[in-house]
């Protein structure tokens, strides 16, 4: 029996793909199709927003040409697969001519003619219009957002808003954005969606205005300063049929998604303790972070990422929360919080004027997971056991500033009309805002001298 193998992304499966699969099948008796994983696509710089790997696998199976479908997950896998499955022919499209000649050492390489005038890129261009995004706010994170957005297909920056027109103009000139304004309605008129990167105190009103104007919203952390505010916004988004997503970049990075899957699978047993810490020693020029009137302080600045980790791992149903803070100039420069669950406990340590180690430790009944500092830029973690010979290290790429992953999810939700993201569900985002609101109310807080 002659075996054939071929590989592809198969995003937006089209006639060209069908022709290639048919020609590959005709080379032998048994066809294996390798579908690239989402993480491998990301490593190669392909941040598509339409079909995930499970949807692409099902589409390939539905063609009837594949006798077996496997997932391609790493560089060099083709050689491993050819030897593992005793492959006779490696087939690939003619646009790759010459690039896989090195595989002739292991099997016969065949470059198949491609169907002229059709490709996933062309189909994507025809089937999806660009999402025109408006940037609200021109601070540090907004400056990082612009280059990250260029890595995601289907997204273009159409406008920038700042209440100070001069600052809006300077930002637009710096990044080559055609339109700038100090009028929110003008920004909404030029866009399909907005990315909100303004000071915390404006998030609620600006999200509400954007949703009322029919715009999808990606908002920087924290999405809101109370649980009630967050719930109002998600209810409004649902009523309007619009996407509302909190820009918790850690929640969207590849390593965190895998870590969460492993932890939930029971690999370290029952989770009984989560410890997350995050601190930054900011320069005196960072005035907003230390301004009480602008909702500054370590909780509003840093807690959303740590709370995201706790809630994704342990759930939203905590029974009690307590805070311990050191204050300076009306804001907390250090806060430690303890959340008690029926089955576990969690501690988060935050600092703007106090430095801590910045690790994440997830303790279970069989072992623990260690994500070293800076854990929120997750690209490596280790699963540890009593028998150190069983320990396993996991490494991932974390490209750029990481914002591209949240932009990709936001765009995918819009194109595919998904109102919720499993990476951060609305109820989880609301729970984070509710805990921040409890802290700001002061009822659960002990002030340290």
């Amino acid at each position: 029996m002659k075996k054939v193998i071929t590989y592809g992304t198969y995003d937006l499966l089209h006639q060209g793909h069908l022709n290639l699969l048919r020609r590959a099948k005709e080379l032998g008796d048994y066809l294996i199709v390798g579908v690239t994983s989402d993480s491998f696509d990301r490593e190669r710089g392909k941040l598509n927003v339409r079909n995930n790997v499970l949807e692409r696998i099902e589409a390939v199976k539905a063609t009837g040409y594949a006798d077996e479908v496997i997932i391609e997950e790493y560089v060099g896998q083709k050689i491993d697969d050819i030897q593992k499955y005793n492959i006779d022919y490696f087939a690939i499209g003619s646009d790759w001519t010459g690039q896989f000649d090195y595989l002739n050492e292991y099997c016969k390489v065949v470059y198949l003619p491609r169907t002229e005038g059709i490709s996933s890129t062309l189909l994507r261009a025809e089937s999806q219009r660009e999402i025109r995004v408006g940037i609200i706010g021109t601070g540090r994170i907004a400056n990082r957002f612009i280059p990250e957005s260029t890595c995601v297909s289907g997204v273009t920056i159409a406008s920038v808003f700042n209440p100070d027109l001069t600052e809006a103009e300077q930002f637009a000139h710096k990044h080559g954005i055609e339109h700038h304004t100090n009028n929110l309605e003008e920004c909404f008129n030029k866009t399909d969606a907005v990315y909100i990167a303004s000071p915390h105190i404006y998030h609620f009103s600006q999200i509400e205005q954007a949703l009322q104007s029919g715009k999808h919203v990606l908002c920087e952390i924290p999405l809101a300063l109370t649980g009630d505010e967050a719930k109002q916004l998600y209810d409004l988004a649902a009523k309007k049929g619009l996407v509302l997503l909190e820009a918790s970049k850690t929640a969207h990075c590849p390593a965190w998604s895998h870590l969460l899957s492993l932890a939930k699978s029971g690999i370290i047993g029952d989770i009984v303790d989560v410890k997350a810490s995050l601190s930054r020693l900011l320069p005196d020029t960072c005035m907003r972070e230390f301004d009480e009137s602008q909702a500054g302080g370590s909780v509003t600045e840093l807690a959303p990422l740590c709370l995201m980790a706790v809630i994704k791992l342990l759930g939203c149903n905590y029974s009690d929360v307590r805070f311990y803070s050191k204050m300076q100039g009306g804001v907390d420069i250090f806060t430690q919080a303890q959340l008690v669950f029926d089955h576990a406990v969690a501690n988060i340590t935050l600092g703007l004027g106090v430095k801590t180690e910045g690790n994440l430790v997830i303790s279970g009944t069989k072992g623990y997971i260690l994500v070293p500092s800076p854990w929120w830029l997750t690209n490596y973690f280790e699963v540890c056991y009593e028998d150190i010979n069983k320990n396993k290290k996991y490494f991932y790429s974390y490209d750029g500033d990481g914002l591209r992953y949240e932009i990709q999810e936001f765009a995918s939700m819009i194109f595919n009309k998904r109102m919720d993201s499993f990476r951060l569900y609305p109820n989880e985002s609301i729970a984070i805002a509710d805990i921040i609101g409890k802290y700001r109310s002061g009822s659960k807080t002990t002030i340290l001298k």
Side-chain angles (χ1 to χ4, degrees):
M1 182 172 66
K2 298 295 183 182
K3 289 187 174 181
V4 184
I5 196 166
T6 187
Y7 295 84
T9 299
Y10 304 106
D11 191 42
L12 293 176
L13 193 74
H14 53 71
Q15 188 60 47
H17 290 137
L18 296 176
N19 293 341
L20 273 174
L21 292 173
R22 174 177 53 78
R23 290 165 183 154
K25 182 65 177 282
E26 290 171 351
L27 292 172
D29 307 297
Y30 192 87
L31 175 63
I32 299 174
V33 180
V35 178
T36 55
S37 69
D38 296 332
S39 59
F40 190 38
D41 271 343
R42 282 192 291 263
E43 287 176 22
R44 299 187 300 164
K46 297 180 69 175
L47 292 184
N48 297 319
V49 297
R50 281 302 180 94
N51 303 126
N52 63 39
V53 67
L54 295 178
E55 292 168 333
R56 291 184 279 117
I57 287 172
E58 289 305 312
V60 169
K61 287 181 178 178
T63 67
Y65 292 119
D67 295 290
E68 187 174 346
V69 179
I70 61 175
I71 298 177
E72 184 182 22
E73 299 185 274
Y74 58 90
V75 175
Q77 184 177 328
K78 291 180 177 68
I79 293 176
D80 292 342
D81 289 343
I82 288 168
Q83 296 178 100
K84 176 181 178 180
Y85 296 105
N86 296 313
I87 297 300
D88 299 287
Y89 295 97
F90 170 85
I92 201 76
S94 58
D95 51 334
W96 295 96
T97 297
Q99 296 191 42
F100 291 102
D101 287 353
Y102 69 93
L103 294 177
N104 277 310
E105 180 180 343
Y106 307 95
C107 68
K108 182 175 178 57
V109 176
V110 179
Y111 295 101
L112 299 171
R114 296 192 70 98
T115 304
E116 294 296 326
I118 187 168
S119 70
S120 296
T121 302
L122 289 172
L123 279 178
R124 203 174 287 113
E126 292 171 1
S127 66
Q128 69 180 42
R129 61 187 178 86
E130 294 280 311
I131 300 172
R132 300 171 302 155
V133 176
I135 309 294
I136 298 178
T138 57
R140 295 186 301 273
I141 191 72
N143 277 281
R144 296 199 292 270
F145 185 91
I146 303 296
E148 290 287 290
S149 69
T150 63
C151 301
V152 181
S153 61
V155 173
T156 186
I157 308 302
S159 179
V160 59
F161 163 87
N162 190 301
D164 185 322
L165 188 59
T166 300
E167 290 193 17
E169 182 179 18
Q170 290 173 348
F171 186 92
H173 178 75
K174 176 181 178 181
H175 294 288
I177 302 170
E178 288 187 8
H179 183 262
H180 65 274
T181 180
N182 62 352
N183 183 296
L184 269 179
E185 288 302 323
E186 283 188 17
C187 180
F188 296 152
N189 289 338
K190 294 284 185 178
T191 58
D192 309 300
V194 293
Y195 168 65
I196 296 178
S198 56
H200 309 325
I201 56 174
Y202 301 118
H203 286 186
F204 177 80
S205 62
Q206 289 175 344
I207 294 172
E208 186 177 44
Q209 284 180 262
L211 293 173
Q212 292 288 10
S213 297
K215 308 303 170 185
H216 305 287
V217 179
L218 175 65
C219 182
E220 264 307 323
I221 57 175
L223 181 123
L225 295 175
T226 71
D228 286 342
E229 286 184 348
K231 187 176 187 310
Q232 286 181 52
L233 294 173
Y234 279 109
D235 286 347
L236 178 59
K239 179 181 177 182
K240 295 281 188 178
L242 296 167
V243 172
L244 171 59
L245 182 65
E246 185 168 12
S248 180
K249 66 179 182 180
T250 305
H252 300 284
C253 73
W256 173 258
S257 296
H258 191 198
L259 180 155
L260 191 62
S261 297
L262 286 175
K264 293 279 193 177
S265 74
I267 194 171
I268 59 169
D270 296 330
I271 300 172
V272 297
D273 181 46
V274 176
K275 290 184 174 67
S277 55
L278 200 168
S279 63
R280 294 174 187 153
L281 294 180
L282 296 175
D284 294 338
T285 53
C286 297
M287 302 300 294
R288 178 184 59 77
E289 289 82 353
F290 298 102
D291 186 348
E292 182 180 11
S293 68
Q294 296 192 67
S298 62
V299 168
T300 52
E301 289 295 321
L302 306 176
L305 291 179
C306 291
L307 290 173
M308 181 279 298
V310 170
I311 285 169
K312 292 299 293 185
L313 289 161
L314 299 178
C316 299
N317 297 320
Y318 60 92
S319 59
D320 192 26
V321 59
R322 298 283 172 178
F323 305 92
Y324 305 88
S325 292
K326 184 173 182 62
M327 308 297 290
Q328 180 178 297
V331 302
D332 64 306
I333 60 169
F334 169 85
T335 292
Q336 187 172 97
Q338 182 180 70
L339 288 88
V340 179
F341 296 78
D342 291 340
H343 58 291
V345 66
N347 286 274
I348 65 171
T349 303
L350 315 165
L352 288 181
V354 175
K355 192 63 183 172
T356 188
E357 80 285 350
N359 294 339
L360 171 67
V361 181
I362 307 162
S363 301
T365 54
K366 295 180 181 178
Y368 69 93
I369 299 174
L370 169 64
V371 192
S373 179
W375 73 264
W376 54 95
L377 306 179
T378 316
N379 60 8
Y380 157 79
F381 61 88
E382 185 172 3
V383 179
C384 305
Y385 299 99
E386 186 74 18
D387 180 355
I388 62 173
N389 294 312
K390 295 181 179 179
N391 291 3
K392 188 171 182 180
K393 295 179 171 67
Y394 295 83
F395 297 88
Y396 300 81
S397 63
Y398 185 92
D399 299 321
D401 285 313
L403 301 180
R404 63 192 64 182
Y405 304 123
E406 66 190 37
I407 300 170
Q408 179 197 25
E409 177 68 357
F410 182 56
S412 176
M413 291 172 72
I414 294 171
F415 282 127
N416 296 307
K417 296 179 171 56
R418 283 190 294 114
M419 296 301 104
D420 293 346
S421 170
F422 71 90
R423 296 173 180 173
L424 189 63
Y425 287 113
N427 67 310
E428 295 168 335
S429 183
I430 291 167
I432 291 169
D434 189 58
I435 293 169
I436 292 172
K438 283 184 170 66
Y439 174 76
R440 286 172 56 79
S441 74
S443 60
K444 298 280 188 175
T445 305
T446 299
I447 303 300
L448 304 174
K449 295 182 179 180

